[in-house]
Amino acid sequence: MADSIRLNLVRKDSKRIPYYNSARLSRFSLEDEPSNLDQMPLMMSEEGFENEESDYQTLPRARFSRRQRGLGWFLCGGWKVLCASCCDCLTHICRRKKELKARTVWLGCPEKCEEKYPKNTIKNQKYNIFTFVPGVLYQQFKFFLNLYFLVVACSQFVPALKIGYLYTYWAPLCFVLAVTVVREAVDEVRRYRRDKEMNSQLYSKLTVRGKIQVKSSDIQVGDLIIVEKDQRIPADMIFLRTSEKNGACFIRTDQLDGETDWKLKVAVACTQRLPAVGEELHNTCDLFSIKAYVYAQKPQLDIHSFEGNFTREDVDPQIHESLSIENTLWASTVVSSGTVIGVVIYTGKETRSVLNTSYAKNKVGLLDLELNRLTKGLFLAQVVLSVVMVALQGFMGPWYRNLFRFIVLFSYIIPISLRVNLDMGKSAYGWMITKDENIPGTVVRTSTIPEELGRVVYLLTDKTGTLTQNEMIFKRLHLGTVCYGTDTMDEIQSHIIQSYAQPTSQPSSGGGGGGTTPSCKTQSSAPKVRKSVSSRIHEAVKAIALCHNVTPVYECHGSVNGETESAEADQDFSDDNRTYQASSPDEVALVRWTESIGLTLVNRDLNSLQLKTPSGQILAFHILQIFPFTSENKRMGIIVREELTGDVTFYMKGADIAMASIVQYNDWLEEECGNMAREGLRTLVVAKKSLSEEQYQDFENRYSQAKLSIHDRTLKVAAVVESLERDMELLCLTGVEDQLQSDVRPTLELLRNAGIKIWMLTGDKLETATCIAKSSHLVSRNQDIHVFRPVSNRGEAHLELNAFRRKHDCALVISGDSLEVCLKYYEHEFVELACQCPAVVCCRCSPTQKAQIVRLLQQHTANRTCAIGDGGNDVSMIQAADCGIGIEGKEGKQASLAADFSITQFKHIGRLLMVHGRNSYKRSASLGQFVMHRGMIISAMQAVFSSIFYFASVPLYQGFLMVGYATIYTMFPVFSLVLDQDVKPEMALLYPELYKDLTKGRSLSFKTFFIWVLISVYQGGILMYGALLLFESEFVHVVAISFTALILTELLMVALTIRTWHYLMVVAELLSLGCYLASLAFLNAYFDLSFITTWPFVWKVSVITLVSCLPLYIIKYLKRKFSPPSYSKLSS
């Protein structure tokens, strides 16, 4: 019968009527001329423009399919496509997943399950005992740098290719791998322990013989599990029973959806009516005395919806109950009130929490990619240099062997310590960010991309909770003819007190306001009677106090023995002890406002609701139906029956765009919604409809049948509810303000002056988003705003883009629907025009659209993007951006946990980017290039040495000298560059224009790298030629003089690179020099101790060092004097 319910037409477009529809149509009719279509060179022909939309979509695909795939395509990347396709095919065959199906679950009978379901284990480990070593090694050697050094090190096992001692090649490589393996092993052990702890948690399971304790990992589909207060729910369950008298309980879902508010869950009525859980074991068997099952839909991703049925077979007639999201207890949530019993329907990897677990992509910084390109360039130079050496030999003998020996000799051009130094530097930057007292509470969750903070060009921000505080304050009540603000709330209070002044007679008159048992005829004529302002205020306030999902919560005092009676006896029901729980801060603000003017929500359970009047009288209402708010319908409703009068009233509130077509005709709603939105207020339209008993019973029958339907349940329920949503009486319009975060205006101005383009992506309405953009100074005072008119097809988009193209230096405001149409047909043109705007506001954006916009900017601009948000709907945007920042706010920690950096306030982003982003990028650029210079200078010396000695492939330095050079002799001074800074933090914040230079990437470019190459060649040549010219009789003197001069040169070059000295830098320089001088006594195999203690050794080393470094110091001085950088002008 349920499936035979007739589907009424569901309003879709009718409830989304744009306020400027008529203006839009008239504009397009006036401007729809052929000449206007050519004003912007769009990537389509006139012929294509006249085709149908479906034809237009096939044009690019047709052109793509006609491309020939020949040898050129294969060599230019086609082989990658083929390999990827083969790998995907093999992976699909090897990892073929079992198809998820709907299921029938018998209560307490897991053995009746028709299929085998996954174990209820949590597994977050990356590897097992067999895959750990291969997996870690693969992750390391997939990088070119590490693979290159592995090949070079392995070549030393071949006698013909052996250059020096094995440990000079294997020791650095093994050190890097050991650090990585140990780090991965520690992380893996931690993950294993966390998983084991979760899987070993004990739960009470009901059986025919009573309660037994089982581990979480041993729970099966069909088990009846008892979950106590503050205990984690181990698997997805249907809520059967609770110790709470009202048949409902609260759960916390912050670990599932990131929201901090409590959710109300309702037990299945059939099983809740059985004897209470608190009465010992013999009554727990009552669940086994009935024969019942649950039909559950197949496992799905959506945590906010569920469709199922509960059926009891051992009674006649059978009992059928529909199950929805309010009857579910998802895994990883926590019970906040009472004790619950549930039947398990999904376990392990089929639970909602595991299905929604997505592993974020591994983000790689732009600086790492640039260094990787330079590394490949160095490898090419190394091969070329080796070929030149072999060519100068005349390709004599086994030249290919000599070629490989030269490649190994010059392998220090690419330093293996580069990645180690950079990783250690990134950790140091993260520690500095965390310890910065000016941005307390900041957490670095991704330590590999701190340099990205210094390269941001586009900042994409959420509005609610990010730019605003997400703390709602009731500001405005509009009744159509009269409007009340914060300064006139006392008038409303006096009207409410007057309305409830006579407790005996007022409920009937109040009931008349709320619905005085009208028939259909009186209802239709009611709007014609002009009501007094007092009665209209009373009706509006009463509707606001009733139409919500808010629950008052009272704290318990004293110990609780698990009995509900004792808990209630210890509760304090005073106003001071009451707090409100709801899924929306807007609703809490409305209920708090009604409390402030005298109508207080004092109690609420599953079926009833109580209000306290200013005189202390309690008004009781029976809740008949609740229609929750969803992002699709943008409204919520409630049907209540007043116990005193028996009146049945349907109250509804929602967004103006959804309510405009539901309420009776009026001439003020559209205008006043626009006025409030321009003031930055969030508006809600409140309406009511009085129902006769016959009308309600008819509705209830149809509604119950629709909820029992298995197929198209959502559509059928929506059709039945919409039969009520007609010709409703408009009561009032409310305005709630979401206050700006502290220091939002100066922070946005700082970012704008730094050259960062800010895009605000919000789900709020266009008017409110525009107002917040103005009030927060996202759009500066002297900038125009271009509101992109709603478009629905390619022709309208074409015309509107032409109109937008004629505007210059103006901010853009566009809705999500119009954005989707523009991206469908004119993606490249729209992004190109939008990127020229100083600010962009996208309203009515879905989470997927936010992430799509981020990816569009990355693809079309190749600039670095940063996304910042505070709610679960911002996670996809944060993870898609090159740098994601989360704010711990009212909407929970989901965005904060998913982000790369977590901050507590929006204003902290200024210091995070201007100071820490600048320092991280500048320091890493200097550190990376200096480590490369350290390898290039010794390779240059090797090249000079080999060319002088008849191009022999003999190493200049061997053994410990090479290991010590890259470690204890130069490591500390080079790494001390992570403490360097070009300008003070105060200066960077005072002059944000300095940030613009960073986005151009001038600190690490082919130009700066080429300069370091020239310096390395010059210094390497001077050191080697100088030592060869000044050596006397023995070769060992050449090694002693050149190596000592090399160490001193490196220490002096570090000093030359430093811009601001830190005392630890001086310590590092002296420590390294001391280590070298002390080690001379133990290097008998390399140095002649009798020679290095003589005066000739000292002056020869001094002369060579002076010639290699002094010119560079002179050049630096002249450059600073005649062409100083911008920051040095400010510093002086």
Side-chain angles (χ1 to χ4, degrees), residues 969-1021:
Y969 294 156
T970 60
M971 179 176 66
F972 300 115
V974 171
F975 188 69
S976 70
L977 290 173
V978 301
L979 301 172
D980 190 22
Q981 63 180 22
D982 53 354
V983 294
K984 294 181 179 179
E986 298 79 13
M987 200 68 67
L989 291 171
L990 187 61
Y991 297 100
E993 292 79 8
L994 293 172
Y995 190 86
K996 294 180 182 178
D997 290 337
L998 303 182
T999 59
K1000 298 172 184 175
R1002 292 176 176 172
S1003 296
L1004 177 63
S1005 61
F1006 281 105
K1007 177 184 175 182
T1008 59
F1009 177 69
F1010 186 66
I1011 291 173
W1012 277 107
V1013 171
L1014 293 179
I1015 292 173
S1016 302
V1017 172
Y1018 166 74
Q1019 289 185 329

Side-chain angles (χ1 to χ4, degrees), residues 418-478:
L418 176 62
R419 184 171 292 277
V420 179
N421 279 278
L422 287 176
D423 288 347
M424 291 170 61
K426 293 174 193 289
S427 301
Y429 308 147
W431 182 84
M432 293 174 190
I433 293 173
T434 306
K435 295 299 180 182
D436 190 343
E437 296 178 353
N438 294 295
I439 46 174
T442 303
V443 179
V444 179
R445 303 193 189 279
T446 305
S447 61
T448 57
I449 55 170
E451 302 90 2
E452 295 295 277
L453 295 170
R455 309 288 293 277
V456 174
V457 176
Y458 291 96
L459 176 68
L460 300 100
T461 174
D462 180 39
K463 181 182 73 68
T464 306
T466 303
L467 298 179
T468 59
Q469 296 181 14
N470 204 12
E471 288 184 1
M472 308 301 172
I473 300 175
F474 191 92
K475 287 287 187 180
R476 195 72 52 85
L477 179 71
H478 205 294

Side-chain angles (χ1 to χ4, degrees), residues 360-633:
K361 65 176 184 179
N362 290 325
K363 296 185 180 180
V364 181
L366 182 59
L367 183 126
D368 292 322
L369 297 175
E370 291 170 344
L371 286 173
N372 196 44
R373 284 198 293 269
L374 295 178
T375 301
K376 293 177 180 177
L378 286 175
F379 175 71
L380 185 62
Q382 176 186 351
V383 173
V384 170
L385 183 59
S386 302
V387 171
V388 169
M389 287 292 184
V390 174
L392 292 174
Q393 276 184 336
F395 294 100
M396 297 173 59
W399 62 269
Y400 51 86
R401 186 183 67 184
N402 292 334
L403 175 64
F404 202 91
R405 283 176 63 87
F406 274 118
I407 290 176
V408 175
L409 267 180
F410 298 138
S411 62
Y412 285 96
I413 287 182
I414 306 174
I416 193 173
S417 58
L418 176 62
R419 184 171 292 277
V420 179
N421 279 278
L422 287 176
D423 288 347
M424 291 170 61
K426 293 174 193 289
S427 301
Y429 308 147
W431 182 84
M432 293 174 190
I433 293 173
T434 306
K435 295 299 180 182
D436 190 343
E437 296 178 353
N438 294 295
I439 46 174
T442 303
V443 179
V444 179
R445 303 193 189 279
T446 305
S447 61
T448 57
I449 55 170
E451 302 90 2
E452 295 295 277
L453 295 170
R455 309 288 293 277
V456 174
V457 176
Y458 291 96
L459 176 68
L460 300 100
T461 174
D462 180 39
K463 181 182 73 68
T464 306
T466 303
L467 298 179
T468 59
Q469 296 181 14
N470 204 12
E471 288 184 1
M472 308 301 172
I473 300 175
F474 191 92
K475 287 287 187 180
R476 195 72 52 85
L477 179 71
H478 205 294
L479 302 176
T481 57
V482 61
C483 180
Y484 294 94
T486 51
D487 52 344
T488 53
M489 290 299 175
D490 53 340
E491 294 184 27
I492 299 179
Q493 189 172 8
S494 64
H495 282 298
I496 294 297
I497 293 174
Q498 181 183 354
S499 298
Y500 289 104
Q502 300 173 354
T504 55
S505 61
Q506 182 55 38
S508 60
S509 62
T516 48
T517 59
S519 65
C520 272
K521 294 179 182 178
T522 58
Q523 179 193 339
S524 61
S525 60
K528 297 178 182 177
V529 180
R530 180 172 290 277
K531 301 178 181 177
S532 67
V533 172
S534 181
S535 66
R536 290 164 61 199
I537 290 176
H538 172 254
E539 289 180 9
V541 173
K542 184 178 179 182
I544 295 172
L546 288 173
C547 186
H548 54 71
N549 266 317
V550 181
T551 303
V553 178
Y554 299 89
E555 294 295 328
C556 296
H557 300 292
S559 60
V560 180
N561 300 322
E563 299 291 336
T564 308
E565 292 79 12
S566 64
E568 291 179 352
D570 290 335
Q571 279 185 332
D572 177 11
F573 290 95
S574 65
D575 291 347
D576 295 336
N577 191 45
R578 181 172 51 248
T579 57
Y580 294 112
Q581 287 291 341
S583 58
S584 168
D586 299 65
E587 289 200 320
V588 175
L590 293 173
V591 173
R592 282 179 178 160
W593 175 74
T594 61
E595 179 184 11
S596 69
I597 59 172
L599 200 57
T600 307
L601 175 68
V602 292
N603 189 27
R604 182 186 183 139
D605 57 29
L606 192 60
N607 301 312
S608 65
L609 182 150
Q610 291 180 345
L611 301 178
K612 186 172 73 172
T613 65
S615 61
Q617 179 191 7
I618 299 297
L619 302 179
F621 297 85
H622 186 64
I623 300 175
L624 302 178
Q625 300 288 347
I626 293 181
F627 313 111
F629 177 91
T630 65
S631 57
E632 288 79 22
N633 62 23

Side-chain angles (χ1 to χ4, degrees), residues 124-128 131-140 143 176-192 194 362 448:
N124 293 308
Q125 295 167 252
K126 289 183 180 179
Y127 315 100
N128 57 38
T131 61
F132 176 74
V133 174
V136 173
L137 292 180
Y138 168 74
Q139 290 296 326
Q140 288 304 303
F143 291 106
V176 173
L177 292 178
V179 170
T180 304
V181 169
V182 169
R183 185 178 61 195
E184 282 290 332
V186 170
D187 290 344
E188 193 69 4
V189 169
R190 287 176 180 169
R191 283 191 287 266
Y192 169 76
R194 283 198 299 267
N362 290 325
T448 57

